Amino acid sequence: KDVFDRASSYTMEVITNGAGIVSMAEAMYFNDGKTLKDVLGEPLYRETLRAVGTAETRTGSINSMKPWAVMMALSAPRAGRGLSLDMALQFDATHRGKPTYGLETMQEQIAVFNGMSLDDQVVLLRDAVQNVQLTQDAMEELTRAYLKRDLSALLALNEKFKPGDARVYADMMDRLLVRRNANMAERMRVRLKEGNAFVAVGALHLPGDTGLLRLLSNAGYHVTRIY
């Protein structure tokens, strides 16, 4: 908190604003006449409704959602009160008058999953549906590791609870971490050159051979843990 307060600028993964939220909402739904039921087939569709906790007579908008969007909903932590950490920091930075930047555009973040084939999206959703309780258990373990600031444990848990399809998992990790880490490391250079920059990203972007800590170190930066 002290470092954040003293920082001259704040950079996060993506700036959240009204236009970005609308873009995300639009990307989550089919706009070509497809339905979730058509894509999944009757048995998996019914399993999905049960996992989501929606009665078949009250499907609402879920039948218009793409598989990746439903998978993300099932994989999210149980709803709590208050802002996400990203939003809390963004609001605090804005309130303090700090220049605020994004390392990615909302369109780039959307493309991580929206750019996957429908078949691969269905594979990920099926895994999430079949392991919905395991996913919540994993979230609790991830939270404990995060609070302990244990990056190795976070990386190990990510592997422990990975989807069963190795090819789809490898592609997802390439999209979710590897490519984005490379872009983030490159794009934050201008902020680091300015100095006194506070940059916040999801913890899983930090560790590993393709993580930001290694990429920044390889680029000649001196990386020191301060907390």
Side-chain angles (χ1 to χ4, degrees):
K1 185 69 166 61
D2 291 339
V3 174
F4 177 84
D5 291 345
R6 294 195 307 268
S8 299
S9 67
Y10 170 60
T11 300
M12 58 196 295
E13 290 185 20
V14 63
I15 297 294
T16 302
N17 54 31
I21 293 171
V22 170
S23 296
M24 176 63 78
E26 290 176 345
M28 291 169 61
Y29 294 90
F30 289 115
N31 60 5
D32 56 2
K34 290 188 179 72
T35 67
L36 186 65
K37 186 176 182 179
D38 292 338
V39 171
L40 299 184
E42 186 73 28
L44 180 55
Y45 180 67
R46 288 187 176 184
E47 287 183 55
T48 300
L49 293 182
R50 285 194 293 270
V52 173
T54 300
E56 290 187 45
T57 55
R58 296 184 177 182
T59 57
S61 62
I62 189 172
N63 197 30
S64 300
M65 294 178 72
K66 296 176 183 177
W68 70 263
V70 182
M71 181 272 293
M72 292 293 287
L74 287 173
S75 303
R78 293 186 177 92
R81 296 180 178 179
L83 296 170
S84 66
L85 181 55
D86 305 65
M87 287 298 298
L89 290 173
Q90 181 180 333
F91 283 171
D92 197 357
T94 301
H95 177 72
R96 293 172 181 274
K98 296 182 189 292
T100 305
Y101 306 96
L103 293 173
E104 300 173 303
T105 65
M106 182 61 78
Q107 287 68 33
E108 287 175 322
Q109 283 213 341
I110 291 170
V112 172
F113 288 107
N114 207 38
M116 299 182 78
S117 71
L118 268 179
D119 287 343
D120 285 358
Q121 291 181 40
V122 171
V123 169
L124 291 175
L125 177 56
R126 179 181 292 110
D127 191 276
V129 167
Q130 294 174 349
N131 298 286
V132 63
Q133 184 55 51
L134 189 64
T135 299
Q136 292 303 323
D137 293 342
M139 191 60 65
E140 293 180 11
E141 288 193 53
L142 285 167
T143 301
R144 288 195 293 270
Y146 178 83
L147 293 174
K148 291 179 180 178
R149 304 188 292 280
D150 191 339
L151 292 177
S152 296
L154 286 173
L155 205 56
L157 286 168
N158 190 57
E159 284 290 315
K160 176 182 176 182
F161 294 104
K162 66 183 180 183
D165 190 305
R167 180 194 62 78
V168 174
Y169 174 71
D171 179 58
M172 183 178 71
M173 286 298 101
D174 185 59
R175 289 171 169 274
L176 193 62
L177 295 180
V178 179
R179 299 185 207 174
R180 294 175 66 212
N181 288 349
N183 287 334
M184 287 179 181
E186 182 62 32
R187 292 173 182 179
M188 70 173 65
R189 285 191 182 206
V190 63
R191 304 279 82 87
L192 299 180
K193 186 176 181 180
E194 290 173 350
N196 198 28
F198 190 103
V199 183
V201 298
L204 274 177
H205 288 289
L206 299 177
D209 292 337
T210 59
L212 284 175
L213 299 181
R214 179 67 57 84
L215 294 177
L216 290 172
S217 181
N218 290 344
Y221 291 96
H222 183 63
V223 180
T224 303
R225 179 172 180 164
I226 62 170
Y227 177 70

